[in-house]
Amino acid sequence: MKVLAIIETNVTNPSWIEDYTKNVTPMLLKYGGRYLTRTNNIDLIEGSEKPHFSVVAEFPSKEIALEFYNSREYAPYKNSRLAGSSSKFLLVNVENGAG
């Protein structure tokens, strides 16, 4: 079952962003992921804090998304993102016929 990775990020130190974007994109593609959106053009409709950036990526399965997230090659970029931001990284199953 496909899964969406939804990342909401509030940047506290932007020094990591350029290197992260340049190097993580090919990694994500290698794991069969694809970006649906990467944007800071966000309208807050409900809640109290709008993230600075939102990323939605699709992976073939939860297992593959977790392989990417826990991979050694992603680890230094994940650590720099975590050190330079406050983030939420969610995995959401894509269920056909929901509702």
Side-chain angles (χ1 to χ4, degrees), residues 17-60:
I17 295 173
E18 184 177 343
D19 194 40
Y20 184 96
T21 303
K22 175 183 166 189
N23 293 296
V24 170
T25 297
M27 278 181 232
L28 184 130
L29 296 172
K30 177 181 153 189
Y31 281 86
R34 69 181 184 104
Y35 289 110
L36 301 179
T37 186
R38 294 185 289 184
T39 188
N40 64 354
N41 186 8
I42 302 166
D43 293 321
L44 180 65
I45 304 300
E46 187 174 317
S48 60
E49 186 177 348
K50 178 177 90 168
H52 296 151
F53 293 98
S54 180
V55 174
V56 179
E58 182 182 73
F59 285 91

Side-chain angles (χ1 to χ4, degrees), residues 9-17 51-53 81 84-87:
T9 302
N10 287 309
V11 177
T12 55
N13 178 348
S15 64
W16 60 274
I17 295 173
H52 296 151
F53 293 98
R81 176 179 54 80
S85 72
S86 170
S87 298

